[in-house]
Amino acid sequence: MDEIKIGQRFPLTIKRQDINGNGIGYYKRKITFVEGALPQEVVVAEVTAIHDRYLEAKTHRIKTSSPHRVKPIDPNWGKVGGVELGHMDYGAQLNFKRDVVSQSLAKYKPAGWQHYDLRATLGAKNPLHYRNKAQFQVRLIDGHVRAGLYAPNSHDLVPLTEFATQKPLTMQIINQLCDLLEQLEVPIYDEVHKSGIVKTLVVRENAAGQAQLTIVTNSAKLPHKNQLLEAIARDIPAVISVSQNINKGETAMVWGPKTELLAGAPYLMETIMGREFRLSPQAFLQLNPEQTEQLYQQAIDALDLKPHETLVDAYAGVGTIGLSLAHLAKEVRGMETIPEAVDDANANAKLNGIENAHYVLGKAEDVFPQWLADGFRADAVIVDPPRAGLDAGFIKALHRAKPKRFVYISCNPSTLARDLVQLTKDWRVDYIQSIDMFPQTARCEAVVKFSKR
């Protein structure tokens, strides 16, 4: 075969999409992943990377366009993540997400996978401006303070003043903060010289139009702090809580270990499924409030709890799922690894007058086996793990507990399919319901209903 070179161009017919939304075609029998290409298209692909078993390419030109191609929903499509499917009509996005689950199952082949009931993806009523939180890097560009996201696989900041998936209030607050930081000449972090102070702005808003701000800094020092807080109180009244998180030096982590309240309320309040939840700055909450309720309702229906049953709420966050189910159960026990989230979860139980739910600090794979060893019997288990999926130790404890009712909420079809290989030894998959929590992205959530074998 002639040697393939970077920058080489060739026509390619796109057969399907991979789990990241890239088009897949075959050049001289070599699988080629093409950024920005859709199934049924003929494109001129330009090689960007060469690997032993596959090629990476970008779309140089479209010769035959897909009927599902639309004008990208954001001017920064292709320059930043978070809108990678923004060139695809919404119905096709929903079909793609069901297909991502299907592809993951075909890769890992859990027992009976060909016969699973894969339900059509539940779409969002509003597939734009849905994100209630932004975590934007801050840099000095041409003498101006700018906030935005990094371009893929780089630390080149793409400034964003508005963004198709972010709620408008969040963007308005970030723009105003950039202006204030510039006016007050607060030192902005410089990655090259490892100097400066302000690294990241984190803004979360609630349904009531209030916002929580966390300023992530390179040191405990925040020059012009008092003037900045006065200006925020005066000019951005929607911000009811301001904290500082200290994250020193060069690190891939956005958050450092220490967060301190600077002004206003220590928490932001949010209402989900008719219950009140307090959120500390680092607390995890789903980013799409409208779809969160749809997701939780699917989980509640799938679990079908009975009043005499005990429930384990694993990877519990601030208790949103378990507390939404507490009125249907005899007892709810949950665990979480972030101390502030555990405090929030127990406070949220109290806040909502829920007396049969309790949350503890610890890893699911440590806490759950200990409960079982102490004689606790789990009738039902609901899990909502991070993208890495379930820990092997937790799965082992699940097999020992053999709960009658079991529901898995997944945010990563690949790790879900991997976990199903072990889980299907004791459970049958009744169905998998995909839910679009993140329109315009390749990410997909799914609710899996199990029954005991």
Side-chain angles (χ1 to χ4, degrees):
M1 192 198 292
D2 296 341
E3 198 186 336
I4 298 166
K5 297 181 176 65
I6 301 274
Q8 187 174 335
R9 292 174 187 164
F10 43 77
L12 201 66
T13 301
I14 304 301
K15 306 287 189 192
R16 58 194 174 97
Q17 280 171 293
D18 73 359
I19 60 170
N20 300 309
N22 297 310
I24 294 177
Y26 293 86
Y27 179 67
K28 298 188 176 176
R29 296 192 180 171
K30 201 164 197 177
I31 191 165
T32 305
F33 298 97
V34 188
E35 203 182 313
L38 296 177
Q40 304 170 34
E41 291 190 326
V42 180
V43 302
V44 175
E46 183 177 318
V47 178
T48 54
I50 299 164
H51 306 270
D52 287 344
R53 299 175 63 181
Y54 64 95
L55 303 174
E56 289 178 64
K58 63 182 180 184
T59 304
H60 171 66
R61 186 162 56 87
I62 300 163
K63 294 178 80 168
T64 308
S65 188
S66 160
H68 300 295
R69 181 176 282 276
V70 295
K71 184 186 173 197
I73 50 143
D74 194 277
N76 286 296
W77 176 82
K79 297 177 193 168
V80 293
V83 285
E84 56 272 19
L85 297 187
H87 61 319
M88 190 178 190
D89 73 50
Y90 192 52
Q93 289 187 32
L94 298 180
N95 292 336
F96 162 77
K97 296 194 180 193
R98 183 182 178 275
D99 187 54
V100 166
V101 177
S102 180
Q103 284 188 52
S104 301
L105 294 172
K107 181 182 176 185
Y108 286 96
K109 298 179 171 51
W113 65 277
Q114 303 98 317
H115 309 296
Y116 290 176
D117 174 7
L118 299 187
R119 301 189 166 177
T121 308
L122 294 172
K125 223 184 301 182
N126 304 309
L128 296 173
H129 303 297
Y130 60 83
R131 285 180 68 106
N132 60 1
K133 185 181 178 187
Q135 211 161 260
F136 281 6
Q137 312 302 323
V138 188
R139 296 293 180 265
L140 208 56
I141 298 174
D142 299 330
H144 295 289
V145 176
R146 298 282 185 252
L149 298 170
Y150 290 139
N153 310 313
S154 80
H155 272 213
D156 300 333
L157 190 83
V158 178
L160 300 171
T161 51
E162 51 185 44
F163 198 48
T165 55
Q166 290 286 353
K167 285 183 175 282
L169 175 64
T170 299
M171 295 308 298
Q172 184 191 318
I173 290 169
I174 284 175
N175 293 334
Q176 286 178 280
L177 283 165
C178 286
D179 289 346
L180 290 177
L181 291 168
E182 190 173 318
Q183 285 164 26
L184 294 169
E185 297 182 354
V186 178
I188 303 302
Y189 184 63
D190 180 329
E191 220 172 6
V192 178
H193 300 102
K194 316 226 181 327
S195 62
I197 304 287
V198 176
K199 284 180 160 181
T200 309
L201 296 175
V202 184
V203 175
R204 170 160 36 204
E205 64 173 278
N206 65 11
Q210 299 168 318
Q212 180 181 53
L213 162 67
T214 307
I215 302 167
V216 181
T217 59
N218 189 34
S219 74
K221 197 171 61 175
L222 180 56
H224 312 297
K225 180 167 75 179
N226 293 341
Q227 288 161 282
L228 181 62
L229 293 174
E230 280 166 23
I232 291 169
R234 182 187 67 234
D235 300 341
I236 322 177
V239 174
I240 61 156
S241 167
V242 184
S243 294
Q244 179 184 0
N245 174 268
I246 298 141
N247 188 11
K248 292 181 180 175
E250 197 178 357
T251 164
M253 306 298 284
V254 171
W255 294 86
K258 192 180 170 206
T259 303
E260 184 188 329
L261 181 71
L262 300 183
Y267 311 104
L268 187 69
M269 302 304 297
E270 185 59 288
T271 306
I272 301 164
M273 309 292 283
R275 286 166 185 75
E276 291 289 311
F277 292 94
R278 78 175 206 189
L279 304 165
S280 51
Q282 272 180 270
F284 171 78
L285 181 73
Q286 294 282 3
L287 296 170
N288 186 335
E290 289 81 11
Q291 286 294 83
T292 297
E293 298 222 338
Q294 179 154 232
L295 176 77
Y296 288 1
Q297 193 56 57
Q298 287 295 323
I300 289 167
D301 294 347
L303 204 58
D304 191 23
L305 264 180
K306 300 293 180 258
H308 62 276
E309 292 176 328
T310 56
L311 171 68
V312 171
D313 175 16
Y315 307 88
V318 297
T320 44
I321 296 173
L323 297 177
S324 298
L325 283 154
H327 67 293
L328 302 168
K330 178 184 167 189
E331 180 193 357
V332 176
R333 290 187 179 195
M335 74 291 274
E336 172 56 58
T337 55
I338 297 170
E340 294 86 351
V342 176
D343 292 346
D344 285 352
N346 286 315
N348 288 332
K350 207 170 175 183
L351 194 65
N352 291 284
I354 296 168
E355 292 176 357
N356 64 335
H358 182 66
Y359 290 85
V360 299
L361 181 66
K363 292 178 178 174
E365 60 268 26
D366 297 336
V367 174
F368 190 37
Q370 189 56 58
W371 285 345
L372 297 177
D374 293 344
F376 174 72
R377 184 179 154 68
D379 298 308
V381 172
I382 191 161
V383 299
D384 185 8
R387 289 186 66 75
L390 298 177
D391 180 88
F394 182 80
I395 292 177
K396 207 168 151 189
L398 260 179
H399 285 303
R400 205 159 80 239
K402 288 192 172 58
K404 196 164 49 189
R405 304 179 190 282
F406 175 32
V407 166
Y408 187 147
I409 298 175
S410 164
C411 61
N412 183 346
S414 289
T415 54
L416 168 65
R418 179 204 68 199
D419 291 346
L420 286 176
V421 173
Q422 297 302 320
L423 295 171
T424 46
K425 289 172 184 173
D426 275 330
W427 288 275
R428 260 192 314 272
V429 172
D430 294 346
Y431 63 78
I432 301 179
Q433 175 65 69
S434 45
I435 296 172
D436 191 16
M437 294 293 288
F438 305 103
Q440 320 305 334
T441 78
R443 287 178 63 183
C444 173
E445 299 268 320
V447 173
V448 187
K449 182 185 190 309
F450 294 93
S451 56
K452 223 158 65 164
R453 283 199 182 279

